[in-house]
Amino acid sequence: MSTTAQPFLPLTRPTIDEETINGVADVLRSGWLTTGPKAKELEAQLSAYCGGRPVRVFNSGTCTMEIALRIAGIGEGDEVITTPLSWVATSNVVLEVGARPVFVDIDPVTRNIDLERIEAAITPRTRAIIPVDLAGLPVDRDRLYAIAQKHGLRVVEDAAQSLGSNWAGRKIGAAGDFVSISFHPNKNVTTIEGGCLVMNDEREAKLAEQYRLQGVVRTGFDGMEVEVVGGKFNLTDVAARVGLGQLPHLETFNTKRRELARAYFEAFDAPAFRGLGVELPPRDFAQSNWHMFQIVLPEQRLNAKRAEVMAQLHAAGIGTGVHYPAIHLFKVYRALGWKDGDFPIAERIGRNILSLPLFPAMTREDVARVASALTTILTVHSKA
Ligand SMILES: *Cc1c(COP(=O)(O)O)cnc(C)c1O
């Protein structure tokens, strides 16, 4: 490992240009801070990106999935099929609307929900599927929608991580049923906090607007009615202005991410690394937006736990992350009946997955530094 002091390399870092910073200052000076013209403009641009489908913006990606479930009328007594290897938001929203998540184990190669196993999990109560494009690698949309159509199920695509990805050349968001996207600072483009929901028609978009702000519908100068119980999920114009400054860079950001992912593969193809038994992600340079570069540590072959590997990388000036531990083993989910061994693939990968630094401002030298430090640390901890 290098002994020269280098700046800490974080897991991720957003790139915000001066034009955006100045634009945010203008919004702050404008006298209108909360939802207004900038939010509308962001919605129009996102809708154009999604081939003209209706899009509404919100203050998180999480709430867009909850609202999609509400628009679909999913609640008490309903079941929603999803993956146990995701940010816990994916299944929390199902509980939030009073329905029950039904987990289906993952494909160990893509680390996404195993489409082969979905039909066996469908019951008369099943109403929807929430697939997740982990790390931006898209779930097979053709097979997914074939299953949904055959069984009359809604789909809420948790595309929080996959803006800029495509399936067979079709942009994520431009096709399908509900599509939920997040603009958290770790995602490929950000509004600080925020998200958007892509819908099918104006009726759904009107309902989304109601759920977004207390259920209120206004008419004329003084008319107000409340038809559904909504929440407080609107995106501020300050945040929307950040998003307007980010969207023009989506393609260049993702091109840079793809190049860095290629650099990781080149470094990891070195014999010293290949012998360690680390599982690499699929080499998809056509469809994925490379939201993350995630490896899976070979737990049987290491005499160190993931946390020790992370601590040693941290000591070498390198940030890493875990995305994610298996959801069904959290206390809240165990209390609902799930236990160890229910989804063995998601459990093994959840214990051993490790996200490496990847963001547009990174360099190939940074990638080389991560690969070198990781090779040294894993070699030291390899069982004979
Ligand atoms: C980020 C993320 C979310 C939630 O997005 P927020 O904007 O943080 O609410 C949901 N699902 C997945 C897979 C995510 O990565």
Side-chain angles (χ1 to χ4, degrees), residues 59-65 85-90 132-135 158-161 180-187 192-195 291-292 323-324:
N59 59 17
S60 77
T62 303
C63 73
T64 66
M65 292 192 283
L85 196 80
S86 182
W87 177 227
V88 66
T90 309
V132 177
D133 302 320
L134 191 69
D158 182 347
Q161 303 183 359
S180 158
I181 294 163
S182 168
F183 301 129
H184 180 274
N186 286 0
K187 304 292 157 64
I192 308 178
E193 297 288 353
H291 170 60
M292 296 191 282
H323 308 91
Y324 299 94

Side-chain angles (χ1 to χ4, degrees), residues 211-383:
Y211 283 119
R212 182 167 63 182
L213 198 65
Q214 315 293 1
V216 165
V217 180
R218 292 176 185 276
T219 43
F221 273 97
D222 66 349
M224 190 191 292
E225 190 49 89
V226 177
E227 297 174 341
V228 299
V229 181
K232 173 68 182 175
F233 302 122
N234 56 306
L235 188 76
T236 70
D237 260 21
V238 177
R241 181 60 185 83
V242 176
L244 286 167
Q246 289 272 287
L247 269 190
H249 300 294
L250 176 65
E251 290 310 318
T252 45
F253 285 170
N254 288 350
T255 300
K256 187 70 195 293
R257 286 173 175 276
R258 249 174 240 127
E259 285 169 16
L260 294 165
R262 276 189 197 279
Y264 268 122
F265 283 115
E266 283 165 25
F268 291 152
D269 279 339
F273 189 87
R274 279 173 51 183
L276 293 167
V278 170
E279 290 168 47
L280 299 179
R283 296 178 193 233
D284 180 322
F285 298 106
Q287 302 190 129
S288 176
N289 68 358
W290 286 96
H291 170 60
M292 296 191 282
F293 192 100
Q294 299 180 292
I295 60 170
V296 177
L297 298 175
E299 70 181 336
Q300 303 295 341
R301 295 170 61 175
L302 290 179
N303 54 27
K305 293 223 181 300
R306 176 175 60 191
E308 292 171 65
V309 174
M310 292 174 79
Q312 291 184 5
L313 283 165
H314 191 270
I318 295 166
T320 55
V322 172
H323 308 91
Y324 299 94
I327 293 172
H328 65 285
L329 300 181
F330 290 131
K331 272 186 188 168
V332 162
Y333 288 84
R334 285 182 187 272
L336 293 169
W338 284 283
K339 58 187 187 314
D340 297 87
D342 283 347
F343 308 104
I345 303 169
E347 289 169 26
R348 179 183 68 81
I349 292 184
R351 279 194 307 273
N352 297 292
I353 199 162
L354 187 65
S355 304
L356 303 180
L358 183 65
F359 54 90
M362 244 177 95
T363 64
R364 291 179 69 93
E365 291 69 42
D366 292 326
V367 169
R369 184 178 150 206
V370 175
S372 153
L374 192 63
T375 305
T376 305
I377 292 163
L378 295 183
T379 303
V380 167
H381 292 295
S382 266
K383 291 181 187 166

Side-chain angles (χ1 to χ4, degrees), residues 14 18 170 207 256 270 289:
E18 290 303 312
R170 296 192 304 274
L207 261 176
K256 187 70 195 293
N289 68 358

